[in-house]
């Protein structure tokens, strides 16, 4: 069952040309479209399904600096600034609130890791407060566990995944952007070795600049053009509760569950750090690059083997022509099955931890496919092999919070303007030449 989402009305006219075409209406693509429209660029956003319909509406909604890899800190610092501006700037409710985040634990090794992270992040001006047992208990009023400690990130916050990408797309339309849904991009038109257009199921749009922000589909799309993009796909599970008097008033991480209060009094909930692999051709193709990450996280991953991922979806072996139906049209919205055991585990953990939530009820659950890079750092980069193309993908389960910054960086790159942050950590080349491809840090 899909996650809740705000509907976006399509623009009236299908364009023949554009300065920039953005492929994919998730948070990264919608934010890039908005930033380009602000610059006065003639930009078209194309989405094969619905804006925000895949992982951008299925994530936790956390907008956090806390526990990010150091390479992402400049981008999330900028993103939090933009999150704080966008409601007023766009006139759209994106759900952002700077409420702070709390992590609580009985594991000393987690506390030590958070403490070390905070010492590093202090150099970037990021506030991270280690909590002793008494402080952790005070910041989780009503909880039953006697925590050993925790960490608080008071300048972090959260937004509403159901509202954010659609709201940015609607705001971009008001600035002149064109938004077309139910329209898959089958591939790129090229001339003289560079981008000259995009082939869609409704015909050709001429353009010399493309941002491909296709989420879990990005690697398959790039392979069609001989661009090797090592990404892996992990399926996460989350669920939404019925509204209830909220005993937890800010995003909270515990070993048993992670949750975010929503504006209507309900919660979005997941079980921390867990996921499912359903590998197909793509998973096997890049197994070597992902083995170190897989080995370190094996205990938190379920593996489901079957033929379907080899035939359907972004993991499949697929060939298609630009004048024929593509895999992107066959699956308009990725809607993987939720892990019902995980849902039950999460809601029971919340009820045990907070007796005031004993009546908590789950009303909707969903799966989401997360596109991940081997080092868990996104690719936001030009591609030397194909001038005119910028890739924005591989957000590894923590792309929602950096969405505004990721969109702005992609817009800067595609327009060949001074980037808001150093793009070097996000360069495409590191995935194919081994330069700077490090083991994932804290996420």
């Amino acid at each position: 069952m899909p996650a809740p989402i705000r509907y976006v009305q399509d623009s009236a006219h299908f364009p023949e040309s554009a300065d920039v075409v953005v492929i994919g209406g998730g948070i990264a693509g919608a934010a890039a479209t908005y930033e380009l429209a602000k610059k006065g660029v003639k930009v078209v956003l194309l989405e094969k399904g619905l804006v925000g319909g895949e992982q951008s509406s299925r994530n936790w909604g956390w907008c956090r600096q806390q526990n990010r890899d150091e390479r992402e800190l400049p981008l999330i610092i900028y993103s939090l600034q933009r999150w704080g501006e966008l409601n007023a700037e766009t006139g759209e409710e994106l759900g952002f609130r700077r409420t702070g985040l709390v992590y609580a634990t009985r594991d000393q090794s987690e506390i030590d890791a958070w403490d070390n992270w905070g010492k590093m992040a202090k150099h970037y001006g990021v506030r991270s407060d280690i909590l002793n047992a008494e402080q952790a208990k005070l910041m989780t009023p009503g909880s039953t566990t006697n925590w050993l400690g925790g960490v608080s990130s008071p300048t972090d916050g959260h937004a509403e995944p159901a509202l954010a990408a659609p709201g940015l797309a609607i705001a971009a339309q008001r600035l002149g952007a064109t938004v077309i849904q139910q329209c898959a991009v089958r591939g790129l038109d090229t001339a003289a070795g560079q981008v000259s257009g995009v082939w869609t199921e409704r015909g050709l749009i001429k353009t010399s600049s493309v941002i491909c922000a296709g989420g879990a589909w990005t690697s398959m799309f790039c392979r069609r053009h001989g661009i090797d993009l090592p990404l892996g796909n992990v399926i996460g599970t989350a669920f939404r509760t019925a509204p209830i008097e909220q005993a937890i008033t800010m995003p909270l991480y515990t070993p048993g569950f992670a949750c975010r209060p929503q504006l209507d009094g309900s919660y979005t909930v997941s079980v921390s750090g867990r996921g499912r692999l359903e590998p197909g051709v793509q998973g096997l193709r890049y197994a070597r690059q992902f083995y170190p990450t897989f080995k370190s996280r094996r205990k938190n991953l379920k593996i489901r083997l079957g033929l379907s991922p080899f035939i359907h979806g972004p993991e499949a072996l697929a060939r298609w022509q630009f004048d024929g139906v593509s895999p992107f049209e066959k699956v308009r919205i990725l809607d993987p099955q939720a892990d019902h055991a995980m849902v039950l585990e999460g809601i029971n953990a919340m009820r045990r931890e907070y007796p005031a939530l004993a009546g908590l009820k789950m009303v909707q659950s969903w799966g989401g496919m997360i596109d991940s890079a081997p080092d868990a750092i996104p690719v936001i980069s030009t591609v030397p092999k194909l001038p005119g193309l910028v890739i924005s993908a591989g957000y590894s389960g923590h792309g929602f919070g950096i969405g505004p910054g990721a969109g702005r960086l992609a817009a800067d790159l595609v327009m060949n303007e001074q980037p808001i942050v150093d793009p070097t950590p996000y360069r495409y080349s590191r995935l194919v030449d081994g330069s700077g491809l490090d083991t994932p840090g804290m996420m």
Side-chain angles (χ1 to χ4, degrees), residues 33-95:
T33 303
Y34 174 73
E35 295 292 349
L36 288 165
K38 270 191 67 181
K39 295 173 184 281
V41 174
K42 184 181 178 184
V43 57
V44 177
L45 174 61
L46 299 173
E47 166 56 49
K48 66 182 179 61
L50 297 176
V51 168
E54 296 191 341
Q55 183 57 21
S56 288
S57 62
R58 297 161 186 256
N59 61 85
W60 296 5
W62 290 31
C63 302
R64 61 175 175 88
Q65 300 161 110
Q66 182 67 45
N67 295 339
R68 282 191 183 267
D69 189 291
E70 182 175 1
R71 291 165 287 184
E72 287 187 353
L73 281 180
L75 199 57
I76 185 58
I77 290 168
Y78 175 84
S79 294
L80 277 171
Q81 174 191 326
R82 291 298 285 142
W83 277 117
E85 299 165 345
L86 283 168
N87 269 14
E89 184 179 305
T90 63
E92 299 295 330
E93 175 59 81
L94 308 182

Side-chain angles (χ1 to χ4, degrees), residues 392-410:
S392 177
Y395 286 93
S396 305
H398 39 102
F400 181 76
I402 61 173
R408 173 61 188 272
L409 180 56

